[in-house]
Amino acid sequence: MSEVTIKIEGMSCNGCVRNVTKALEALPGVTGAKVSLEQACAVVQYDPAAIDEAVMRQAVEDAGFDAPLDL
């Protein structure tokens, strides 16, 4: 298992946190996601053989938020 921190912009409430968490945890290969509104990021545990960071970032974007590459 690997872990990555993804910066997330545009979250403003706990509903946003739930939406991002759901979007990430629905991806095959993701085993867990902790999304923080205060820190504006998600810490994602995943299987690198099954998924890569670009797919996770796209899932965040598809949920309506920005996932810039810089931390």
Side-chain angles (χ1 to χ4, degrees):
M1 281 306 142
S2 293
E3 185 174 279
V4 65
T5 300
I6 299 173
K7 182 177 179 179
I8 302 171
E9 296 177 349
M11 294 190 300
S12 60
C13 65
N14 286 327
C16 298
V17 170
R18 281 191 298 276
N19 288 341
V20 172
T21 301
K22 251 193 242 186
L24 289 168
E25 290 182 343
L27 297 171
V30 171
T31 57
K34 280 190 96 140
V35 180
S36 171
L37 179 61
E38 295 79 18
Q39 295 179 8
C41 70
V43 178
V44 185
Q45 294 80 37
Y46 67 101
D47 177 357
I51 191 169
D52 64 25
E53 189 176 334
V55 174
M56 292 182 269
R57 287 184 185 282
Q58 188 60 53
V60 172
E61 298 271 346
D62 290 347
F65 304 93
D66 293 322
L69 288 174
D70 63 313
L71 279 175

